Amino acid sequence: MASPSVPARDTPRLVRKIIWIALAAIVLGGVAWYAIFTATKPQQVASPAAGAEQLVRADSHRLTAPAEEKAQLVEFLDFECPSCAAVHPFVEELKAEFGDRITFVNRYFPLSAHPNSGQAALAAEAAAQQGQYQQMAAKLFENQSQWAGSQQSQAPLFRTYAGQLGLDLAQFDAVVADQKTEDRILADIADGNALGVNGTPTFFLNGEKLTLSTKADFRQKLADALK
């Protein structure tokens, strides 16, 4: 029996929507982990107009499930962003260290300047529908150098990743092609914009938009939130 074909997907249309919704968000460059953090702006607290519901929705991806939650760390990310890929291993370290007390949450925020970021988010969401969000996210980040920046659709490669994860490819294809999946990603972008997100990765700790300078600073912020 032939494998299901890759579904037709109007990726440029999704990119155009991202451009309008994200208002041409500026890409944070650099692959060194310290490029992720800047100390040029004072810490900002989420605007009162942007309520707690815009930080975490019922369908947001919670990566940890503490028996007793003492804090919440929300990350808005772009799978094609080199800084997001660079910080990913460190965030994994923080999850291992603090995940029994802090709920780590991921939100989609594909930037308009990244041609395959929207398609990557679709692939991650399709994997999430089969309980493999974190596994797909890890594959996208770990293999980012293979596909980032390409002007050709990387949907076939992302589908290959789905196969490597053992996902049901027919179900994966259907979710990628479903308009509801695109709407789910666009809703995250809208929340990010309302919260003042203008680049990736952007972190919120207990509703506070973090401005960080070093790994040690990041770890200390989490430790302080538990006091």
Side-chain angles (χ1 to χ4, degrees), residues 7-10 18 37-38 52 63 79 100 103-104 143 154 165 182 199 204-205:
R9 185 70 179 173
D10 187 358
I18 291 171
F37 306 122
T38 61
L63 312 186
F79 293 111
D100 60 337
T103 300
F104 286 68
N143 297 287
Q154 296 299 295
L165 292 173
E182 181 177 316
F204 291 86
L205 180 59

Side-chain angles (χ1 to χ4, degrees), residues 11-12 25 48 85 87 91 112 196 215:
T11 300
V87 79
V91 173
S112 59
K215 284 183 177 181

Side-chain angles (χ1 to χ4, degrees), residues 53-146:
E53 74 280 0
Q54 289 174 304
L55 278 168
V56 182
R57 298 285 183 178
D59 60 358
S60 295
H61 296 303
R62 293 164 174 80
L63 312 186
T64 58
E68 181 181 354
E69 180 185 279
K70 296 188 176 181
Q72 195 173 76
L73 181 72
V74 180
E75 178 184 3
F76 283 83
L77 57 80
D78 174 339
F79 293 111
E80 197 167 357
C81 165
S83 294
C84 291
V87 79
H88 177 70
F90 181 60
V91 173
E92 290 297 300
E93 290 180 21
L94 296 177
K95 279 170 52 185
E97 184 175 352
F98 296 103
D100 60 337
R101 291 158 291 169
I102 297 177
T103 300
F104 286 68
V105 182
N106 276 8
R107 305 291 304 272
Y108 299 114
F109 202 77
L111 299 173
S112 59
H114 288 156
N116 285 288
S117 58
Q119 190 68 52
L122 290 171
E125 184 60 24
Q129 298 306 308
Q130 297 187 51
Q132 298 271 0
Y133 169 79
Q134 294 195 66
Q135 292 83 346
M136 179 60 82
K139 269 196 172 293
L140 291 167
F141 282 137
E142 290 165 7
N143 297 287
Q144 190 187 80
S145 62
Q146 296 179 3

